[in-house]
Amino acid sequence: MNLTVTTPAADTPVSLDDAKRQLFMEGTTDADALIGAHIKAAVAHVETSLGRALVTRIYTATLDCWMNCIWLKMPPIGEVSSIKYDDLDGVEQTLAPSVYEVGERFGQAYVKLAPNQSWPVLDDSSSLNRIRIAYTAGYGDVDAVPDDIKHGILLLVTHYFENRGTVNIGNIVSEIPQSVDALLTPYRVWELA
């Protein structure tokens, strides 16, 4: 399955003002662009690490063939808005919602056939990206993102701001016990076999 963001999130889970408060930089604008870049990097790191979408956006998952159970990545999943496929003539069709069911198990959403239904036959002239599933994912707006995740993002922004290189020279480093991993682990999505 290939996954692309069709419509990005409208905002980041933490604002520039949130990050500036965390960095004790309220009232200054000198580093706004840098802090904004750190926020984007921290959010991307957290979403990748967790396997979750934070602020709602729209994804399109592309598949080459039908499967018994299609697991949708980047929960929480809001709704499946459409399933499109290339029919035998190579013409794009929209699968009727009565043909499939959307469910959830172990905190992950899936699409499977509804009872007494069968997947349509696909275009056999191509074997790539013949199925496209559009769906929303994320907690909702910024206020719906869990506070632990937001705090983890702010800790990463602080780390990125204070350590602008890839090597830390001349310092003894120890990890704070209640660090980013401790905050994020309860929200991590574990891959289902």
Side-chain angles (χ1 to χ4, degrees):
M1 176 185 308
N2 187 26
L3 191 63
T4 57
V5 176
T6 310
T7 304
D11 210 348
T12 57
V14 299
S15 69
L16 180 62
D17 288 340
D18 295 334
K20 287 170 72 171
R21 271 191 298 280
Q22 173 77 13
L23 295 167
F24 301 105
M25 295 188 67
E26 294 171 281
T28 66
T29 58
D30 296 344
D32 283 5
L34 179 62
I35 296 168
H38 290 327
I39 292 169
K40 287 180 183 176
V43 170
H45 174 82
V46 167
E47 287 185 333
T48 301
S49 171
L50 295 180
R52 286 188 179 279
L54 299 179
V55 177
T56 297
R57 80 277 320 264
I58 299 173
Y59 284 103
T60 298
T62 55
L63 297 95
D64 300 333
C65 60
W66 298 112
M67 295 183 276
N68 290 333
C69 188
I70 302 167
W71 292 98
L72 301 177
K73 296 184 181 291
M74 302 304 285
I77 306 302
E79 69 172 347
V80 172
S81 54
S82 70
I83 299 179
K84 297 184 181 291
Y85 65 96
D86 297 335
D87 69 11
L88 267 175
D89 298 320
V91 176
E92 182 178 80
Q93 301 291 334
T94 301
L95 191 62
S98 61
V99 174
Y100 61 91
E101 296 176 343
V102 178
E104 184 178 313
R105 189 168 184 190
F106 306 117
Q108 293 187 38
Y110 61 83
V111 173
K112 69 175 190 170
L113 276 174
N116 303 315
Q117 296 292 325
S118 60
W119 294 122
V121 179
L122 300 172
D123 175 15
D124 59 2
S125 66
S126 170
S127 62
L128 299 176
N129 303 324
R130 297 183 294 181
I131 304 161
R132 295 159 298 283
I133 304 172
Y135 62 94
T136 59
Y139 286 100
D141 65 10
V142 170
D143 294 333
V145 177
D147 289 338
D148 289 345
I149 294 175
K150 291 179 188 178
H151 190 64
I153 291 167
L154 289 172
L155 288 176
L156 280 174
V157 169
T158 302
H159 172 74
Y160 295 160
F161 188 81
E162 293 176 353
N163 301 284
R164 297 184 196 183
T166 57
V167 177
N168 186 349
I169 299 172
N171 294 313
I172 297 173
V173 179
S174 62
E175 189 171 349
I176 300 170
Q178 298 299 320
S179 67
V180 176
D181 283 342
L183 290 166
L184 299 180
T185 296
Y187 301 96
R188 186 160 284 123
V189 173
W190 304 101
E191 288 291 321
L192 299 174

